[in-house]
Amino acid sequence: MEIEKKFLVSKLPEDLDQWEASVIEQGYLCTDPVIRIRKMDGQYILTYKSKRGVQKAAGVCINQEEELPLTKESYQHLRDKIDGVLIEKTRYRMCYPSGSGRYKIELDVFHGHYEGMVLAEVEFPSKEEADQFIPPEWFTENVSDDFHYSNAFLSENGTRPLKPGACDETEREA
């Protein structure tokens, strides 16, 4: 079970270079349910996820997720079959608050098709902790409830999501 919140990020933290980072590429073979392939740190992974937000509470998503290893050859074979856009990003794994490391933040800085977009996800051991979480000041809107910010949607759609509350194409994020 995965309990998480996703946020837009207003600026990158100054100490970003001190955190562990991975270059990731991922594509989607199916988005309902999610069947994803990913290359990260020399590993190749096939992931099955239940439909996003299968159990939903305000501002929190809870999903079922299973991962299976792939060979490089099988990853390459499946990569040629993905639907939509290949997602490319650098993922930084950070501890928050810095001293305690109580929570792990996965900060995704997108490249390629989504160059410049930055999202942060925080996973929690329980819904109660997710509800009580106070994000760092560099987080902006909680977009956990907005499927437009899911990697599956980004892959399928190929356009940047509207800012929360935006009404038309002219208000898309830069």
Side-chain angles (χ1 to χ4, degrees), residues 22-170:
S22 298
V23 175
I24 298 172
E25 69 174 34
Q26 65 189 40
Y28 292 80
L29 301 168
C30 181
T31 58
D32 187 14
V34 171
I35 301 175
R36 173 186 75 202
I37 57 168
R38 175 183 279 172
K39 177 174 112 177
M40 179 175 80
D41 298 332
Q43 295 184 352
Y44 303 90
I45 303 163
L46 174 75
T47 303
Y48 167 85
K49 276 186 168 187
S50 60
K51 189 171 180 173
R52 181 147 179 87
V54 98
Q55 296 176 29
K56 211 172 213 180
V60 179
C61 283
I62 303 172
N63 299 303
Q64 193 68 32
E65 182 176 315
E66 299 292 332
E67 293 187 340
L68 301 167
L70 292 172
T71 64
K72 180 178 181 177
E73 294 76 23
S74 60
Y75 173 83
Q76 285 300 130
H77 177 76
L78 292 170
R79 186 177 183 258
D80 293 339
K81 298 175 180 351
I82 66 167
D83 294 333
V85 175
L86 182 70
I87 302 292
E88 301 169 89
K89 58 190 175 182
T90 300
R91 172 167 289 165
Y92 296 89
R93 285 175 288 287
M94 312 170 79
C95 296
Y96 179 77
S98 291
S100 75
R102 180 175 179 152
Y103 300 107
K104 303 290 186 231
I105 296 173
E106 290 183 341
L107 180 69
D108 288 342
V109 178
F110 288 78
H111 309 292
H113 192 81
Y114 289 107
E115 184 71 39
M117 189 166 73
V118 182
L119 296 171
E121 283 188 9
V122 184
E123 287 195 25
F124 302 93
S126 70
K127 184 189 170 309
E128 293 73 31
E129 282 202 46
D131 290 341
Q132 295 170 9
F133 177 70
I134 299 171
E137 71 281 350
W138 44 276
F139 282 21
T140 58
E141 291 91 351
N142 178 345
V143 293
S144 303
D145 289 336
D146 189 342
F147 73 93
H148 295 99
Y149 290 94
S150 72
N151 284 300
F153 181 83
L154 293 172
S155 171
E156 189 175 57
N157 189 277
T159 59
R160 289 183 184 241
L162 292 171
K163 292 180 183 178
C167 298
D168 64 40
E169 294 284 324
T170 62

